[in-house]
Amino acid sequence: MEYRELGRTGYRVSLVGFGGIPIQRIDGAEAKKVVGRALELGINFFDTARGYTDSEEKLGVALKEHRDKVIIATKSMARDREGMAADIEKSLQALGVDCIDLYQMHNIKDEETLEKVLKPDGALAALKEARDQGKIKHIGVTGHVKELLIKVVKTGEVETVQFPFNAVETNGVRELLDLATETGVGAIVMKPLAGGALSNANFALRYLLEYPVSTLIPGMDSVRQVEENAAVGSNPLPLSAAEREELQREVASLGMQFCRRCEYCLPCQQGIDIPSVFLFEGYYTRYGLKEWAVERYRALKAKPEDCLECGECEERCPYNLPIRRMLKEAAQKLG
């Protein structure tokens, strides 16, 4: 595994890190097995969040015996000082550690949120206090809106910035990366595979490593995924002209209106597994696995027809997808 500097934090992080969203789907024993394989292959950066149900707990158990060899990052959606302080304590307990390496203000999605976290009684204040108290070491920010992240980086208060970047989503990335490089802020890339929409992980990850990013954090919940992704970090060759052309063909076929499987839309009050519906639709539409996709769609306990049209999922979606309409379209194909 090769490593790069994480901005001015002083950490050297694996080119491929570990995204902690998917391990919510597997049990503790399997999670320990997956994380163990990641460690064996040199992955040393592990990202999770307060909002990822039991992800912090599972990572904490799996990393307990390797604490001095890994960098643990987590994050909170809390916007004020009190809420962030409480979440930091919960994260410390869930992870089973005395200090967290990187704590991030999560999903800064609009100007109102930005104003709240930066206020004297905002989330940033709690993070700075926790750093002074030795509860966390470094402060970062995550979000999907590059313009807002640029504003946060320019404050000089954060040491890392985490954002979606992949062969499909490139708008605003160059300006953000240039600023991060100039200011010594580590660039952490989430959604490197466009939420699993890009089928060739090897090409997709190698494409990103041609940029001045610190680490990529694809979500992983199987040993096979870990091995495939870690292999790229161990030998990050530039894409050939033919490989680049193949990647761009897939990008062109995707467009921009598709689910990245970030799961921010969940939970659905009707129990609809929204990302899975769109995953099966993708297999049906793009990969020619119609029978397989339909079979798995039929096994879902709740389906799009159970939707109450409440719109909560659309309010939470960082990509502003018309989820209700997309669910109906998926049901027409799969039902």
Side-chain angles (χ1 to χ4, degrees):
M1 177 65 68
E2 294 188 16
Y3 301 82
R4 290 181 182 173
E5 299 292 332
L6 184 61
R8 60 178 184 270
T9 64
Y11 295 137
R12 286 183 60 78
V13 293
S14 49
L15 294 188
V16 174
F18 191 99
I21 288 180
I23 65 168
Q24 299 172 91
R25 308 184 195 123
I26 57 179
D27 63 29
E30 187 65 19
K32 193 170 184 179
K33 181 179 177 181
V34 172
V35 171
R37 186 59 177 145
L39 291 165
E40 290 173 354
L41 295 174
I43 291 176
N44 74 343
F45 184 82
F46 293 83
D47 177 83
T48 181
R50 273 278 74 224
Y52 300 168
T53 60
D54 61 358
S55 177
E56 284 184 330
E57 288 90 340
K58 286 174 178 172
L59 278 179
V61 171
L63 296 174
K64 186 175 182 179
E65 298 176 5
H66 310 274
R67 183 66 188 97
D68 59 337
K69 300 176 183 177
V70 298
I71 297 149
I72 298 175
T74 192
K75 46 196 178 287
S76 165
M77 291 274 287
R79 303 312 187 199
D80 60 19
R81 174 188 280 168
E82 183 178 355
M84 180 61 80
D87 272 358
I88 291 170
E89 295 298 330
K90 292 174 184 176
S91 291
L92 288 167
Q93 183 175 1
L95 288 162
V97 297
D98 297 322
C99 179
I100 295 166
D101 302 302
L102 173 64
Y103 213 103
Q104 302 157 103
M105 297 177 285
H106 189 27
N107 195 21
I108 305 302
K109 60 182 181 178
D110 50 38
E111 292 285 354
E112 181 182 0
T113 300
L114 178 59
E115 182 179 346
K116 285 181 179 178
V117 299
L118 296 181
K119 288 170 61 175
D121 61 348
L124 178 61
L127 288 168
K128 293 167 76 171
E129 289 171 1
R131 184 177 59 189
D132 292 341
Q133 295 164 358
K135 295 178 179 179
I136 68 173
K137 292 182 179 178
H138 303 280
I139 298 172
V141 65
T142 84
H144 293 74
V145 184
K146 311 298 191 301
E147 295 81 5
L148 293 174
L149 295 176
I150 286 171
K151 289 184 178 181
V152 179
V153 171
K154 285 183 176 179
T155 67
E157 299 283 9
V158 298
E159 295 168 273
T160 65
V161 58
Q162 182 170 312
F163 56 94
F165 177 27
N166 50 67
V168 183
E169 299 171 81
T170 60
N171 289 341
V173 167
R174 175 52 70 181
E175 184 181 358
L176 180 55
L177 283 177
D178 286 347
L179 178 63
T181 300
E182 177 186 336
T183 56
V185 169
I188 303 167
V189 174
M190 60 177 168
K191 310 293 184 296
L193 307 180
L198 293 171
S199 61
N200 193 317
N202 184 284
F203 290 1
L205 296 179
R206 285 164 56 202
Y207 166 84
L208 295 173
L209 290 174
E210 295 175 3
Y211 290 81
V213 300
S214 297
T215 185
L216 317 175
I217 52 169
M220 294 179 270
D221 61 5
S222 74
V223 169
R224 178 187 60 79
Q225 291 172 354
V226 168
E227 291 174 343
E228 289 178 354
N229 294 337
V232 176
S234 299
N235 189 27
L237 297 174
L239 291 174
S240 67
E243 290 170 335
R244 195 177 302 277
E245 184 178 343
E246 183 176 336
L247 179 61
Q248 290 306 317
R249 278 199 297 269
E250 183 170 21
V251 168
S253 72
L254 284 173
M256 289 301 295
Q257 190 168 286
F258 64 94
C259 175
R260 278 74 166 180
R261 300 187 69 201
C262 64
E263 301 185 5
Y264 290 171
C265 57
L266 301 178
C268 165
Q269 59 176 289
Q270 288 297 96
I272 302 170
D273 187 343
I274 297 168
S276 289
V277 173
F278 295 144
L279 174 66
F280 298 147
E281 182 192 25
Y283 280 117
Y284 182 97
T285 305
R286 294 192 292 272
Y287 305 131
L289 298 172
K290 294 187 176 182
E291 291 184 7
W292 182 92
V294 169
E295 180 181 347
R296 278 153 183 77
Y297 173 77
R298 288 175 177 169
L300 292 174
K301 294 181 179 179
K303 295 185 175 61
E305 52 263 36
D306 298 313
C307 175
L308 295 176
E309 298 278 343
C310 69
E312 289 181 0
C313 55
E314 294 182 4
E315 292 176 7
R316 294 194 291 257
C317 177
Y319 294 95
N320 298 313
L321 295 177
I323 294 175
R324 288 171 288 184
R325 176 171 63 79
M326 291 170 64
L327 284 173
K328 291 176 183 178
E329 293 171 353
Q332 288 177 352
K333 296 173 186 175
L334 299 167

